[in-house]
């Protein structure tokens, strides 16, 4: 099971696209999204090992150097269906 934390502001736009991408690359992966809301809470859960990854906004101070920070770019706009 892969536990993914997501801040509230990304749940409606970024999360669906991220899940589609993740499932297309790893179709057998079981993803669980715990009810977490803000970056501080997600960082605490990451450090404690209670989630495996998080979609969040990097802190202004650059964040912990013990974590691996990656830029995520998702196009949440779909072309019209024909």
């Amino acid at each position: 099971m892969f536990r993914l934390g997501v801040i509230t502001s990304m749940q409606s736009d970024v999360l669906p696209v991220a899940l589609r991408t993740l499932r297309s690359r790893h179709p057998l992966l079981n993803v669980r999204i715990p009810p977490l809301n803000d970056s501080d809470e997600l960082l605490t859960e990451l450090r404690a090992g209670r989630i495996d990854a998080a979609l969040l906004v990097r802190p202004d101070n650059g964040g912990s150097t013990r974590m691996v920070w990656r830029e995520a770019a998702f196009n949440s706009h779909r072309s019209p269906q024909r």
Side-chain angles (χ1 to χ4, degrees):
M1 179 182 315
F2 182 75
R3 301 159 300 174
L4 177 64
V6 185
I7 60 172
T8 303
S9 62
M10 291 185 179
Q11 290 177 2
S12 62
D13 292 333
V14 176
L15 181 58
V17 177
L19 286 176
R20 277 195 300 276
T21 301
L22 190 58
R23 287 188 176 133
S24 71
R25 293 180 185 173
H26 307 281
L28 299 178
L29 186 64
N30 181 8
V31 179
R32 179 176 172 267
I33 301 169
L36 305 169
N37 296 313
D38 64 31
S39 293
D40 290 336
E41 186 177 26
L42 290 168
L43 288 170
T44 298
E45 295 297 298
L46 270 171
R47 288 183 189 113
R50 291 186 286 267
I51 60 175
D52 301 302
L55 295 176
L56 50 85
V57 176
R58 189 173 189 168
D60 290 336
N61 67 4
S64 172
T65 57
R66 294 182 300 153
M67 298 205 176
V68 177
W69 294 91
R70 302 242 193 267
E71 295 290 324
F74 295 101
N75 181 359
S76 62
H77 303 287
R78 292 187 232 164
S79 60
Q81 301 264 337
R82 294 183 188 205

